[in-house]
Amino acid sequence: MHTVKTSAVHVIGAGLAGSEAAHQIAATGTPVVLHEMRPVRSTEAHKTDGFAELVCSNSFRSDDWENNAVGLLHEELRRAGSLIMAAADAHKLPAGGALAVDRDAFSAEVTARISANPLITIVRGELEGLPPDDWANVIIATGPLTSPALSAALAALTGEDSLAFFDAIAPVIHRDSIDTSIAWFQSRYDKAGPAGTGADYLNCPMSKEEYEAFIDALLAGEKTSFKEWEASTPYFDGCLPVEVMAERGRETLRYGPMKPVGLDDPRTGRWPYAVVQLRQDNALGTLWNMVGFQTKLKHAEQVRIFRMIPGLQNAEFARLGGLHRNTYLNSPKLLDRSLRLKAMPRLRFAGQITGVEGYIESAAIGLLAGRFAAADAMGTASAAPPRTTALGALLDHITGGHLTSDDSERGAARSFQPMNINYGLLPDLESNPTHDQEGKRLKGPERGREKKRTMSRRALADLAIWLDEPAPAAKQSA
């Protein structure tokens, strides 16, 4: 590839977004300086100094591009040459319809590929305050754990208080301590996904009496106490602690992470009253995480209460749950369409700090920020992806697609909140499909499924135009 003589782009933070941004910039022949504060300064959530370390779940969620917006985003990133998706695909684990990865191997892959790129210079150490004035092209991808010094500098520059919420981490259990005479292997409705078999989750069943006792224990269990400045910080609804869900109603968990639908207990041949699912967490299959069981319970309480779950009565925990504080910008007000800070356009932002939620969403904004920054460095134009794509819909949400007006009649003000990718962010179809591709008339729920498939096909066709390449043939979903 021809190397364009340009000044280097500085990328601050080597998480999923920063690593993806650096990769995208280098792919254009533009030099990159990638700054990562670990291990010089660590965080409460990180355990290593590797790039793209996964600090919560090891799942990238659904990989079904035809029927799920997350799977669509996966496919768009693959077609756009994403490093994060390439590493995820190289180290995927069985997880039903989801794309789960071996977290250590995944991080090692990203770290190795970034380190081997001759156009990327890695600098270890914390950036205290705003980047130096002579850095003309900067991407800040410091994520939800942005250092206090940089957070304070950004707040002073923008005049905005950063919003914050909590992410809760789920426990991880040693596989050999799970009682498989009670727990059984099955994916919901036996659905197989990437590297999966249809029997990719361990399911722990509960009777009504066991479920009621478990809810009582969750409600009464001793929780982590927050500091005064943390007390008013709202949770993100997509990652609520399990005991917070229980507080919202005794049946909430049965309609959330503990829903039993599509899971047949081999001992009875029926769906249980409730189910706790565990998903493989490493390639060896020795560690399994409790799906949806993020928690702020104190560690001793976690051990006591989670051992009430049938099949986990002798559970040994490789990691207990916990909380960390996330910080993000009021992006619709502060950022332009190419993710530049309006108050200082040499600074561009990427990842969770922009107000997207989720691993793959963070990587997606990193990809876009990297492409925008590389175009600036080369003095060329870079169009935003169409709003009909998952990439474009995410960008639109964080740079202006969110409603911010006050609802004065109800006395409540709308505020910008983190968002996972979903079909609701994409523009609606001009007309909803009434027949499938074979011409058969659609009825009932199949209309909604065909609408999603049509929106996904439209997205990939429009993405191909944005990428300036012929639309590839759509592969069939599993």
Side-chain angles (χ1 to χ4, degrees):
M1 180 181 289
H2 176 66
T3 300
V4 181
K5 293 182 179 180
T6 60
S7 299
V9 178
H10 291 262
V11 178
I12 304 169
L16 279 82
S19 297
E20 185 66 65
H23 172 77
Q24 294 293 324
I25 296 164
T28 69
T30 304
V32 183
V33 180
L34 179 60
H35 303 261
E36 171 53 52
M37 70 179 186
R38 293 175 295 122
V40 177
R41 178 189 172 96
S42 192
T43 74
E44 297 85 354
H46 289 93
K47 304 299 181 186
T48 76
D49 61 1
F51 298 161
E53 180 184 341
L54 306 182
V55 300
C56 191
S57 169
N58 71 323
S59 174
F60 284 14
R61 307 180 344 262
S62 175
D63 200 46
D64 180 358
W65 72 262
E66 286 188 302
N67 300 286
N68 190 289
V70 177
L72 173 61
L73 186 57
H74 288 179
E75 188 63 21
E76 289 185 12
L77 288 173
R78 288 186 179 105
R79 296 183 184 193
S82 165
L83 168 63
I84 293 302
M85 285 307 303
D89 287 336
H91 299 286
K92 60 190 175 185
L93 299 173
L99 174 59
V101 304
D102 181 315
R103 67 177 73 236
D104 294 331
F106 167 79
S107 175
E109 174 88 10
V110 174
T111 305
R113 291 186 59 173
I114 290 290
S115 301
N117 194 314
L119 285 171
I120 302 176
T121 301
I122 298 167
V123 176
R124 297 279 187 171
E126 181 184 3
L127 180 73
E128 297 183 354
L130 294 175
D133 292 341
D134 59 350
W135 294 6
N137 196 343
V138 182
I139 295 175
I140 297 177
T142 47
L145 301 170
T146 299
S147 69
L150 182 54
S151 294
L154 291 173
L157 174 64
T158 62
E160 290 280 323
D161 291 332
S162 290
L163 303 177
F165 61 95
F166 285 103
D167 250 352
I169 300 172
V172 174
I173 296 174
H174 290 281
R175 163 66 179 81
D176 58 9
S177 70
I178 301 169
D179 185 350
T180 51
S181 70
I182 298 174
W184 76 96
F185 289 94
Q186 185 187 6
S187 300
R188 205 176 299 280
Y189 295 110
D190 302 308
K191 183 175 182 180
T197 65
D200 305 322
Y201 291 79
L202 267 170
N203 302 282
C204 300
M206 278 189 180
S207 66
K208 185 176 189 301
E209 294 73 23
E210 289 165 335
Y211 176 79
E212 293 291 346
F214 182 69
I215 296 298
D216 288 339
L218 284 179
L219 295 174
E222 191 175 1
K223 282 62 167 197
T224 302
S225 58
F226 294 147
K227 298 175 183 177
E228 183 179 352
W229 57 268
E230 298 170 323
S232 61
T233 303
Y235 293 107
F236 171 55
D237 277 349
C239 201
L240 285 174
V242 65
E243 61 279 356
V244 173
M245 284 188 273
E247 290 169 357
R248 295 188 173 186
R250 296 187 68 86
E251 293 292 290
T252 301
L253 286 168
R254 286 190 66 238
Y255 289 90
M258 294 179 68
K259 63 184 176 185
V261 298
L263 298 168
D264 304 303
D265 187 339
R267 298 179 303 170
T268 65
R270 300 188 303 271
W271 296 355
Y273 188 78
V275 165
V276 173
Q277 288 195 300
L278 296 100
R279 179 177 57 226
Q280 187 176 335
D281 200 70
N282 66 343
L284 294 174
T286 55
L287 300 176
W288 289 64
N289 64 60
M290 299 176 69
V291 178
F293 264 65
Q294 303 87 2
T295 181
K296 62 173 183 173
L297 288 167
K298 288 195 171 182
H299 284 180
E301 290 288 76
Q302 291 181 45
V303 174
R304 178 181 68 84
I305 295 171
F306 294 155
R307 283 180 178 169
M308 294 174 63
I309 298 169
L312 302 186
Q313 62 271 15
N314 299 312
E316 295 296 331
F317 296 86
R319 183 189 69 191
L320 289 163
L323 291 175
H324 59 272
R325 183 177 185 267
N326 283 355
T327 302
Y328 60 96
L329 298 171
N330 186 0
S331 293
K333 182 176 181 179
L334 301 177
L335 303 183
D336 69 12
R337 180 74 174 156
S338 67
L339 300 167
R340 293 178 302 184
L341 190 66
K342 295 174 185 177
M344 188 176 285
R346 69 186 179 92
L347 304 183
R348 192 175 255 110
F349 287 82
Q352 276 188 264
I353 196 171
T354 65
V356 293
E357 176 62 20
Y359 292 145
I360 204 63
E361 289 88 343
S362 296
I365 300 303
L367 180 144
L368 293 175
R371 286 175 171 242
F372 292 149
D376 281 357
M378 295 184 293
T380 61
S382 179
R387 289 180 170 89
T388 50
T389 65
L391 282 165
L394 268 182
L395 180 65
D396 189 49
H397 170 70
I398 63 175
T399 61
H402 183 81
L403 293 174
T404 57
S405 61
D406 289 344
D407 187 349
S408 56
E409 290 185 7
R410 293 181 175 86
R414 294 189 179 110
S415 61
F416 178 62
Q417 294 292 325
M419 182 66 73
N420 294 118
I421 185 62
N422 61 82
Y423 284 110
L425 296 182
L426 277 68
D428 210 348
L429 299 171
E430 291 185 7
S431 61
N432 291 329
T434 56
H435 295 76
D436 64 17
Q437 290 185 299
E438 285 72 42
K440 183 179 178 181
R441 188 170 184 83
L442 299 168
K443 297 181 180 179
E446 186 57 34
R447 293 176 185 168
R449 289 191 286 270
E450 184 59 28
K451 179 180 179 180
K452 290 179 179 178
R453 289 191 285 266
T454 302
M455 293 177 78
S456 291
R457 290 190 290 266
R458 177 187 66 177
L460 294 185
D462 290 350
L463 179 79
I465 296 171
W466 181 64
L467 294 173
D468 195 26
E469 64 183 37
K475 64 183 181 182
Q476 296 298 314
S477 62

